[in-house]
């Protein structure tokens, strides 16, 4: 009787689990505004039809859906004006709030997509794609549900720099496909810069015959070549290396016909391509082709390469002719003209400019730059375009018709100044929107939780914040694999951030993200895999240790080497503990089932002893914190400095000062038990951690948020503790966590920190 009852209970338990799985929402990214699961399912099979009454409005979306379904079901799917049997209906709904909004209703008898525009229908199809299980071939059951969805921001973009390192047409199209899948709607295409001119301009053929090519002796290529010794992602792509005039050169460009091809491809996916031709700075590729653009010799100024001369009539003729072809080629309402990082030193010395500024009553070279930008703005507006410029445009004065791209995250009131001037703003601050910065285990979280609209923006100005985009500057990104490693998976965090507007449940997002790694594999994306868990970068052992980290997902395998070589998919799998009893360097990486390799970790192991605790009868709760105003490049700059203020603080944290400063935390760490402790130190900018007067974590220098880790062997009790931190005025990220016995990192309790009352 007991055995029979147990069998019944197990059956009921399994049934409840199956029902819970059936009723659980599909892992959609970005998360829809409203999603309601219903009972039942819809059978998607080759007998369905696609019904579109308004073919003029939704015809291209119906054909796009038809192609997708045929690839899944293996049979031609017909399109008709109405459903005579089970199918998918696309219909018009005038009540939806925007052109991108949609409703998706999956019922047992049919699927209904409702939208007021083709873009909304296209977004619904992307959601439907995510609901259809991956790698299915043939019939499949879809859960019944109701979705009402609309974007939180109009500008949901990414930026692609093809000047520093080139990406061919096929890869640009791949990128557009992936953007569409996650409901991005803008691609900012950075087509020209000092290192290469990538777009054909028919009036100036030397821009591509000369300006599109360079030798591999610049610092960016040299650094990539050096890094490629450790990581093949940094190898210069051989497809773009050629022999030209007896020299080995790197480069490439797009013809105008190829540009038109990409524009048409993007239009089918409802993505607007915004071209950027950066001027008056970042023009060395053009200057090499046409030296008349310069007054004087080309070279490196105080901060950047020499800009073109904005005081010569033939220069204005050149820039307007170039922008005329750009405006005619791209249907976007916007043209980005850059206007950033201009080294004005040569203008101050130029006789042309002195005369020009006097003639036009321009007080200084900042006003001269504004004059140039206004000339380009007036010209492009005559062509029916609006301009975008980087936020430096505000310094010399600008009118409210310019859209400002806010990138200098350390200028905290930059977006506020722009909206108070009436400018529309696209948010792309360096932290966390520069995706060429280190893609660490905190990057997706930082993107997901970022403020698109800063708290200081007045309510009546918030509508001027159009949205946000991620920038990918390619100085140190020579391959598609490295580009993808930098972009993913934080691109998915951005997709959700700008679609849902105010996401708060990062843990929920991360659970859905883990289920999307298989989709990224299917796309062939060489993404940054989730982090291997349960280890530190700098390790100590007392006698010996058993090293056994954890894979975040069972289908992802850890592989390692002990000979200094880079782990490959053929390297030894780390499936059982590795015994370490001598100084060792271990390299490891995570590999997905699709062949993607995660970050390559280099771990060092050195011998240690279990450090004795110290005794201080005068210890009190909290740490001493010395605060020093000033710009410091690293913790060494703090040595010998007198504190401007001294506090007793309960824990490690950074004040939200809108300036640069340094901090020194000093005291004891009171550990509750003997063991080898791992410490995880995240900071922006730099810091170092000392325990028992020994360096445990070196995370020094000026950098974006970066996590580094180390270990200390300690007996129970008080241990001397010191943490130095420098802030350059932008990030204010400072976090210290610990782990014992391989457990998940956690914040250090206040009760662990003590200081000596006798000092």
């Amino acid at each position: 009787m007991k055995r029979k009852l147990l069998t019944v209970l197990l059956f009921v338990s399994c049934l409840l689990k199956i029902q819970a799985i059936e009723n659980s929402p599909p892992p959609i990214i970005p998360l829809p505004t409203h999603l309601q699961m219903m009972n039942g399912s819809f059978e998607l099979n080759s007998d369905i039809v696609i019904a579109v009454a308004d073919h003029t409005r939704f015809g291209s979306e119906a054909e796009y859906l038809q192609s997708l379904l045929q690839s899944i079901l293996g049979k031609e799917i017909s399109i008709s004006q109405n459903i005579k049997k089970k199918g998918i209906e696309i219909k018009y709904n005038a009540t939806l709030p925007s052109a991108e909004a949609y409703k998706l209703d999956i019922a047992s008898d049919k699927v209904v997509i409702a939208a007021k525009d083709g873009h909304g229908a296209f977004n619904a199809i992307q959601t439907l794609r995510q609901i259809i299980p991956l790698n299915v071939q043939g019939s499949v059951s879809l859960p019944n549900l109701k979705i009402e969805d609309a974007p939180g921001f109009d500008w949901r973009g990414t930026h692609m720099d093809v000047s520093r390192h080139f990406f061919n047409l096929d890869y640009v199209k791949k990128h557009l496909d992936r953007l569409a899948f996650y409901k991005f709607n803008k691609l900012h295409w950075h087509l020209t810069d000092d290192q290469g001119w990538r777009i054909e301009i028919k009036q100036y053929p030397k821009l591509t015959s000369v300006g599109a090519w360079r030798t591999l002796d610049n610092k960016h290529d040299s650094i990539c070549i050096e890094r490629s010794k450790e990581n093949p992602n940094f190898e210069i792509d051989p497809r773009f290396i050629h022999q030209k005039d007896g020299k080995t050169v790197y480069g490439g460009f797009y013809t105008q016909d190829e540009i038109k091809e990409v524009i048409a491809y993007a239009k089918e996916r409802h993505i607007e391509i915004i071209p950027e031709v950066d001027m008056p700075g970042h023009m060395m590729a053009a200057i090499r082709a046409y030296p008349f653009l310069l007054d004087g010799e080309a070279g490196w100024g105080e901060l950047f390469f020499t800009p073109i001369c904005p005081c010569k009539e033939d220069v204005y003729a050149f820039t307007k002719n170039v922008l005329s072809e750009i405006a005619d080629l791209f249907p976007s309402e916007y043209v980005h003209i850059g206007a950033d990082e201009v080294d004005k030193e040569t203008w101050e010395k130029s006789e042309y400019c002195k005369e020009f500024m006097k003639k036009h009553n321009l007080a200084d070279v900042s006003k001269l730059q504004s004059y140039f930008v206004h000339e380009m703005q007036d010209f492009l507006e005559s062509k029916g375009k609006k301009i975008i410029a980087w936020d430096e445009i505000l310094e010399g004065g600008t009118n409210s018709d310019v859209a400002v791209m806010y990138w200098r995250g350390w200028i905290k009131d930059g977006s506020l100044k722009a909206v108070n001037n009436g400018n529309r703003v696209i948010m792309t601050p360096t932290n966390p929107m520069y995706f060429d910065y280190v893609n660490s285990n905190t990057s997706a979280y930082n993107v997901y939780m970022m403020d698109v609209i800063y708290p200081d923006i007045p309510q009546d100005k918030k509508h001027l914040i159009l949205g946000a985009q991620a920038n990918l500057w390619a100085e140190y990104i020579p391959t598609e694999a490295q580009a993808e490693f930098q972009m993913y998976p934080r691109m998915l965090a951005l997709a959700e951030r700008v679609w849902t507007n105010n996401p708060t449940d990062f843990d929920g997002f991360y659970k859905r993200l883990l289920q999307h790694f298989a989709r990224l594999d299917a796309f062939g994306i060489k993404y940054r895999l989730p982090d291997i868990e349960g280890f530190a970068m700098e390790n100590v052992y007392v006698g010996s240790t058993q090293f056994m980290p954890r894979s975040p997902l069972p289908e992802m395998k850890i592989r390692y080497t002990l000979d200094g070589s880079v782990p490959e998919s053929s390297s030894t799998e780390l499936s059982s503990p590795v015994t370490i009893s001598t100084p060792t360097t271990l390299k490891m990486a995570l590999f997905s089932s699709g062949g993607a390799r995660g970050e390559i970790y280099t771990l060092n192991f050195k011998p240690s002893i279990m450090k004795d605790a110290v005794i201080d009868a005068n210890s009190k709760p909290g740490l001493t914190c010395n605060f020093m105003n000033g710009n410091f490049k690293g913790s060494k700059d703090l040595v010998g400095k007198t504190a401007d203020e001294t506090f007793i603080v309960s824990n490690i944290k950074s004040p939200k000062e809108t300036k640069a400063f340094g901090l020194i935390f000093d005291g004891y760490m009171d550990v509750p038990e003997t063991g080898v402790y791992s410490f995880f130190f995240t900071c922006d900018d730099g810091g170092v951690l000392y325990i028992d007067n020994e360096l445990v974590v070196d995370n020094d220098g000026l950098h974006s948020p970066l996590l580094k880790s180390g270990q200390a062997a300690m007996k129970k009790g008080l241990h001397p503790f010191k943490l130095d931190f420098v802030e350059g005025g932008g990030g204010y990220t400072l976090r210290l966590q610990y782990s014992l016995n391989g457990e998940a990192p956690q914040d250090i309790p206040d009760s662990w920190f003590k200081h000596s009352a006798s000092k």
Side-chain angles (χ1 to χ4, degrees):
M1 183 67 182
K2 288 182 179 178
R3 184 177 298 172
K4 185 175 181 180
L5 177 61
L6 179 61
T7 301
V8 171
L9 290 173
L10 286 172
F11 175 77
V12 171
S13 174
C14 290
L15 184 61
L16 289 173
K17 288 180 180 178
I18 291 170
Q19 289 176 341
I21 293 171
E22 288 179 346
N23 290 323
S24 63
I28 301 168
I29 296 175
L31 186 68
T33 309
H34 300 287
L35 187 157
Q36 181 182 4
M37 300 302 298
M38 312 296 288
N39 293 324
S41 62
F42 173 82
E43 189 71 17
L44 181 66
N45 56 42
S46 58
D47 294 330
I48 67 164
V49 297
I50 299 171
V52 185
D54 191 344
H55 200 274
T56 300
R57 192 184 304 271
F58 300 120
S60 61
E61 286 69 39
E63 292 170 4
Y64 177 83
L65 178 59
Q66 179 188 46
S67 176
L68 288 174
L69 293 180
Q70 286 175 180
S71 66
I72 294 170
L73 300 172
K75 184 179 177 181
E76 186 171 343
I77 304 299
S78 62
I79 298 176
S80 66
Q81 284 197 326
N82 51 67
I83 295 179
K84 297 179 181 177
K85 50 184 177 179
K86 282 190 175 184
I88 300 175
E89 180 182 8
I90 304 176
K91 67 179 186 179
Y92 178 68
N93 185 330
T95 67
L96 289 167
S98 71
E100 294 193 72
Y102 68 91
K103 291 184 178 181
L104 175 63
D105 188 347
I106 301 178
S108 298
D109 58 338
K110 66 177 179 179
V111 176
V112 177
I113 291 172
K116 67 191 303 183
D117 183 87
H119 198 166
F122 184 83
N123 287 333
I125 292 168
Q126 301 314 309
T127 298
L128 185 62
R129 286 179 69 188
Q130 294 194 25
I131 295 171
I132 297 172
L134 187 64
N135 297 326
V136 67
Q137 291 294 320
S139 301
V140 61
S141 293
L142 305 181
N144 287 352
L145 51 74
K146 291 180 181 292
I147 289 175
E148 294 185 27
D149 205 5
F153 290 100
D154 292 335
W155 193 289
R156 307 183 307 282
T158 68
H159 155 285
M160 178 180 278
D161 170 16
V162 296
S163 175
R164 276 55 177 267
H165 285 102
F166 186 65
F167 299 98
N168 66 19
L169 214 62
D170 288 341
Y171 187 69
V172 177
K173 290 180 178 179
K174 282 183 186 178
H175 185 57
L176 289 166
D177 282 332
R178 296 158 181 176
L179 295 183
F181 188 72
Y182 290 107
K183 301 187 179 73
F184 288 96
N185 64 354
K186 310 287 184 188
L187 175 63
H188 169 186
W189 208 358
H190 188 80
L191 291 162
T192 72
D193 215 297
D194 294 318
Q195 292 80 9
W197 189 284
R198 305 300 181 202
I199 181 169
E200 177 190 22
I201 302 297
K202 294 186 182 296
Q203 295 178 79
Y204 301 102
K206 289 174 68 176
L207 285 173
T208 47
S209 66
V210 175
W213 308 95
R214 68 171 187 257
T215 56
L216 290 169
D217 55 2
N218 68 85
K219 68 174 184 178
H220 302 139
D221 291 323
S222 299
I223 289 173
C224 287
I225 291 168
E226 183 62 28
R227 290 179 181 178
S228 70
K229 296 175 183 177
E230 290 287 325
N231 187 338
N233 280 5
F234 289 98
E235 292 176 0
I236 305 298
D237 195 322
R239 293 176 297 174
F240 310 128
I241 298 176
H242 302 273
Q243 294 299 313
K244 193 173 188 293
D245 300 327
K247 295 181 179 179
T248 300
V249 295
Y250 172 93
F253 66 92
Y254 312 107
T255 67
Q256 291 197 8
D257 285 341
E258 288 174 326
I259 294 286
K260 291 174 183 177
E261 183 181 335
V262 171
I263 290 170
Y265 195 86
K267 183 179 179 182
E268 291 175 355
R269 287 149 184 79
H270 294 276
I271 295 173
E272 179 183 354
I273 296 183
I274 298 93
E276 181 183 1
V277 177
D278 203 343
M279 58 177 68
H282 291 286
M283 287 282 281
M284 280 303 298
I287 290 168
R288 285 193 292 110
Y290 295 99
F292 73 82
L293 296 171
L294 200 62
D295 177 26
E297 294 184 2
W300 186 260
E302 184 181 354
L303 297 172
F304 308 104
F305 277 119
T306 310
I308 60 175
C309 179
C311 306
K312 298 166 64 176
E313 289 303 321
D314 52 357
V315 172
Y316 282 93
F318 172 87
T319 54
K320 290 178 181 179
N321 287 338
V322 168
L323 291 177
S324 179
E325 291 194 33
I326 295 291
D328 292 343
L329 191 57
F330 286 87
S332 171
E333 65 175 317
Y334 292 105
V335 173
H336 200 309
I337 65 164
D340 66 313
E341 296 182 334
V342 179
D343 195 310
K344 307 178 184 71
E345 182 183 18
T346 54
W347 297 353
E348 292 175 342
K349 299 175 181 178
S350 167
E351 294 301 322
Y352 278 111
C353 291
K354 290 176 183 177
E355 183 179 339
F356 189 91
M357 291 167 64
K358 182 177 180 180
K359 177 181 176 181
H360 294 279
N361 195 29
L362 302 174
D364 53 40
V365 287
S366 292
K367 295 295 183 183
L368 176 57
Q369 178 174 345
S370 292
Y371 180 92
F372 174 85
V373 170
H374 289 150
E375 281 288 307
M376 299 306 105
Q377 179 183 357
D378 290 345
F379 175 75
L380 284 168
E381 286 177 352
S382 74
K383 304 280 290 184
K385 302 294 185 180
K386 301 173 184 176
I387 74 162
I388 302 175
W390 300 106
D391 60 45
E392 286 98 327
I393 193 70
L394 298 169
E395 293 175 357
T398 188
N399 59 47
S400 61
D401 293 330
V402 177
V404 173
M405 198 161 271
Y406 170 68
W407 74 277
R408 294 180 298 170
W410 60 93
I411 309 294
K412 285 300 178 183
D413 61 349
S415 59
L416 177 62
K417 287 178 180 177
V419 298
N420 282 339
N421 194 51
N423 300 96
R424 289 153 294 146
V425 179
I426 300 108
M427 296 293 288
T428 179
T430 48
N431 178 21
M433 288 289 95
Y434 270 38
F435 280 15
D436 49 298
Y437 285 16
V438 173
N439 189 9
S440 72
N441 60 355
T442 63
S443 296
Y445 176 83
N446 292 337
V447 170
Y448 192 86
M449 300 303 293
M450 74 169 285
D451 288 325
V452 176
I453 301 176
Y454 283 1
D456 61 356
I457 302 296
Q459 185 65 37
D460 64 341
K461 304 288 187 183
K462 288 183 177 180
H463 68 283
L464 292 172
I465 306 294
L466 301 183
Q469 77 175 31
N471 290 346
L472 188 75
W473 300 102
E475 286 95 334
Y476 308 110
I477 302 176
T479 63
E480 296 169 9
Q482 185 60 23
E484 291 167 0
F485 182 89
Q486 292 294 134
M487 286 189 284
Y488 295 92
R490 55 180 157 180
M491 187 78 84
L492 279 66
L494 177 60
E496 183 145 314
R497 180 65 189 86
V498 291
W499 181 270
T500 61
N501 189 0
N502 286 309
T504 55
D505 184 14
F506 179 78
D507 290 341
F509 164 78
Y510 190 73
K511 289 176 183 177
R512 285 178 283 121
L513 174 62
L514 290 176
Q515 297 179 69
H516 272 254
F517 286 130
R519 291 194 179 273
L520 299 184
D521 282 331
F523 279 134
I525 295 172
K526 304 301 182 185
Y527 54 90
R528 183 189 190 278
L529 272 65
D531 284 286
I532 298 172
E533 299 169 355
F535 75 97
M537 300 295 289
E538 300 294 329
N539 301 267
V540 299
Y541 59 89
V542 178
S544 66
T545 187
Q546 296 290 302
F547 179 68
M548 185 62 206
R550 299 186 301 275
S551 170
L553 290 170
E555 63 270 21
M556 294 184 176
K557 307 300 181 185
I558 304 171
R559 300 188 180 276
Y560 76 102
T561 65
L562 295 172
D563 61 1
S565 62
V566 173
E568 304 289 351
S569 57
S570 57
S571 299
T572 305
E573 182 182 348
L574 211 168
S575 55
S576 59
V578 177
T579 301
I580 294 174
S581 57
T582 59
T584 300
T585 296
L586 181 148
K587 290 180 182 287
M588 67 177 182
L590 191 66
F591 290 82
S592 75
S593 56
R597 177 174 56 196
E599 185 168 344
I600 300 168
Y601 303 94
T602 300
L603 281 61
N604 296 308
F605 294 81
K606 64 180 182 181
S608 181
I609 60 171
M610 200 65 68
K611 301 294 175 59
D612 291 326
V614 299
I615 297 174
D616 187 340
N618 294 313
S619 65
K620 302 292 183 183
L623 293 168
T624 301
C625 177
N626 291 315
F627 177 92
M628 286 148 284
N629 281 305
N631 287 288
F632 306 104
K633 294 181 179 179
S635 64
K636 293 182 177 63
D637 291 348
L638 301 178
V639 176
K641 298 293 182 183
T642 301
D644 293 294
E645 296 180 76
T646 299
F647 313 97
I648 301 299
V649 296
S650 61
N651 212 310
I652 303 297
K653 56 186 176 182
S654 172
K656 293 294 183 181
E657 298 279 354
T658 56
K659 57 185 176 182
F661 57 84
L663 301 173
I664 296 178
F665 297 90
D666 196 12
Y668 301 110
M669 174 174 281
D670 190 1
V671 295
E673 60 181 290
T674 298
V676 175
Y677 288 79
S678 297
F679 293 95
F680 304 90
F681 185 13
T682 304
C683 58
D684 172 7
D685 289 288
V688 289
L689 170 65
Y690 297 90
I691 297 176
D692 286 314
N693 302 311
E694 291 186 3
L695 179 65
V696 175
V697 181
D698 184 351
N699 201 356
D700 213 357
L702 300 179
H703 52 69
S704 58
L706 181 63
L707 184 151
K708 289 194 175 182
S709 53
Q711 290 185 332
M714 296 181 283
K715 292 182 180 179
K716 177 182 177 181
L718 294 176
H719 292 264
F721 175 95
K722 182 171 175 284
L723 186 148
D724 299 346
F725 171 69
V726 295
E727 170 54 58
Y732 310 104
T733 302
L734 177 59
R735 189 181 191 188
L736 182 64
Q737 295 184 296
Y738 84 99
S739 171
L740 182 62
N741 300 323
E743 297 173 347
Q746 54 189 304
D747 292 334
I748 299 173
D750 293 355
S751 61
W752 284 24
F753 291 120
K754 302 284 194 303
H755 71 283
S756 180
S758 61
K759 290 184 180 180

